[in-house]
Amino acid sequence: MEPINIFTLVIILLGACIMVANVVFYIIFMFRMRDVISGGIKRDKVLMTIGLLLLIFFLVGYIYVAIAADPILLTGLILFFGSLFVSVVILLLSRLIKTSKTRSLEIAQVLVSVIDSRDKTMQGHSLHVKNLITLLYKYLPRHIKAEYSLISLEFAALLHDIGILNVPEEILSKLGDLSEEEMEVMKTHPQIGVRLLRPINSFDYVSDWILYHHERINGEGYYFKTGDSIPYPSKMLAIADHYSLLILGKKKSYEEAMEEIKQGAGTMFDEELVNIFLSIPKEEVDSCMPKIIKY
């Protein structure tokens, strides 16, 4: 084989290797698009699937040219730089989507802080819950992480109490225990929250997480769901929400709050999740405290 043909074959094979990497990265990219910001549009899912099939088709083309054809140097260079171009496009798309998600989350945080400001004793609560969920996710087993998108969990945490908008001020600001009638009004806030988010189709993915975040393992929650019938993210929200209530609302110390969470394992909260939460170093849990924005 002539030297020029060997060089051509090498750069085509390098291009094919890059295309294999492109296919893998594109599949990861598709997986990361399954969240409340990127998902929910059937048309986009179809286009992304077509994109994957085209990448695989081009990869097969690279292999065919390298094995069965007698390519010239120009062909090899075009194929090689074509694979690099695809890599750059996938990288740019990934960064743009990541930036879009980050900006959307930041905007949501500001808007939710306004909702939280209605209850002066719980200012920063939703952001606190979001920070706790982010931290808890970090310590989840890998196989559970693979099932849930972090950005979706963060949005569910930020918006879990958006239905509070429908709760009268006198109930929110009341000192002491709520009456039975007031408690029934308070119990409507998860349903109201889901209803408010319904126009955003992609939020259907997290609606049950928000709806059932006050459920208890023993069935004594708002809607009497038990054990495995409660969505796993709702179980995470239940722990983060209650811990935030103890710290911000009841002014408990870290030790007191953690002891109460521990006592609720197996009855109020999922026991495995409680053990994970308790294993997180205190300084990391303390770092979840939000910066309160005054209005």
Side-chain angles (χ1 to χ4, degrees):
M1 183 178 289
E2 297 179 3
I4 187 65
N5 288 339
I6 294 176
F7 178 72
T8 301
L9 180 61
V10 168
I11 62 174
I12 291 174
L13 290 175
L14 281 174
C17 291
I18 295 172
M19 285 301 291
V20 170
N22 288 340
V23 170
V24 173
F25 291 140
Y26 189 80
I27 291 172
I28 294 172
F29 175 72
M30 289 178 67
F31 177 79
R32 289 176 176 171
M33 292 286 281
R34 301 188 310 172
D35 57 52
V36 295
I37 299 300
S38 315
I41 303 176
K42 189 175 181 180
R43 179 180 65 252
D44 289 349
K45 293 177 181 178
V46 171
L47 289 173
M48 292 188 70
T49 302
I50 292 172
L52 177 61
L53 293 174
L54 287 173
L55 280 178
I56 295 172
F57 172 78
F58 285 124
L59 174 59
V60 172
Y62 275 67
I63 297 171
Y64 172 78
V65 170
I67 296 174
D70 186 18
I72 62 173
L73 179 59
L74 179 61
T75 302
L77 291 172
I78 290 173
L79 292 175
F80 176 75
F81 287 108
S83 64
L84 288 179
F85 173 75
V86 173
S87 297
V88 171
V89 170
I90 293 175
L91 180 61
L92 283 174
L93 282 175
S94 298
R95 290 188 174 180
L96 286 171
I97 292 295
K98 184 177 180 180
T99 301
S100 173
K101 292 176 181 179
T102 301
R103 295 292 177 267
S104 298
L105 196 62
E106 289 171 347
I107 293 169
Q109 287 176 186
V110 173
L111 295 176
V112 167
S113 68
V114 177
I115 298 172
D116 282 349
S117 68
R118 292 186 66 210
D119 186 348
K120 301 304 180 185
T121 65
M122 291 291 285
Q123 281 188 288
H125 168 66
S126 295
L127 181 55
H128 192 206
V129 172
K130 175 259 180 185
N131 292 343
L132 290 167
I133 286 292
T134 304
L135 179 61
L136 184 54
Y137 180 85
K138 173 183 171 183
Y139 284 87
L140 291 179
R142 185 173 297 178
H143 71 278
I144 297 178
K145 281 185 178 182
E147 292 184 39
Y148 303 105
S149 158
L150 176 57
I151 193 75
S152 295
L153 288 167
E154 289 177 325
F155 265 99
L158 269 179
L159 301 172
H160 76 284
D161 273 347
I162 192 173
I164 290 292
L165 284 168
N166 199 56
V167 177
E169 192 77 35
E170 57 269 22
I171 294 179
L172 285 178
S173 60
K174 182 178 179 180
L175 299 176
D177 295 334
L178 299 178
S179 67
E180 187 174 332
E181 292 77 14
E182 289 169 334
M183 193 62 205
E184 288 303 312
V185 173
M186 181 62 77
K187 284 182 178 180
T188 64
H189 82 265
Q191 294 175 320
I192 300 299
V194 169
R195 198 178 306 155
L196 289 172
L197 295 173
R198 191 168 293 157
I200 310 174
N201 292 334
S202 59
F203 272 77
D204 290 346
Y205 181 59
V206 301
S207 60
D208 280 355
W209 304 356
I210 294 172
L211 182 62
Y212 298 123
H213 76 272
H214 278 293
E215 298 312 290
R216 301 292 179 249
I217 298 299
N218 60 8
E220 295 182 1
Y222 283 10
Y223 307 115
F224 311 110
K225 295 181 78 68
T226 62
D228 291 339
S229 66
I230 304 171
Y232 194 85
S234 298
K235 297 175 184 179
M236 295 173 64
L237 283 170
I239 293 174
D241 185 45
H242 194 71
Y243 179 84
S244 180
L245 170 66
L246 295 172
I247 295 295
L248 295 180
K250 298 188 176 181
K251 309 303 179 185
K252 299 275 188 178
S253 67
Y254 165 85
E255 290 74 19
E256 290 171 329
M258 282 299 190
E259 181 59 30
E260 187 164 326
I261 295 292
K262 182 179 179 180
Q263 293 300 319
T267 53
M268 291 179 68
F269 311 117
D270 180 87
E271 190 168 2
E272 181 184 16
L273 274 172
V274 168
N275 290 333
I276 294 173
F277 190 60
L278 293 174
S279 72
I280 301 174
K282 177 181 182 298
E283 58 271 19
E284 291 191 51
V285 178
D286 288 345
S287 71
C288 292
M289 284 294 290
K291 294 180 180 178
I292 308 299
I293 302 175
K294 299 295 184 181
Y295 294 97

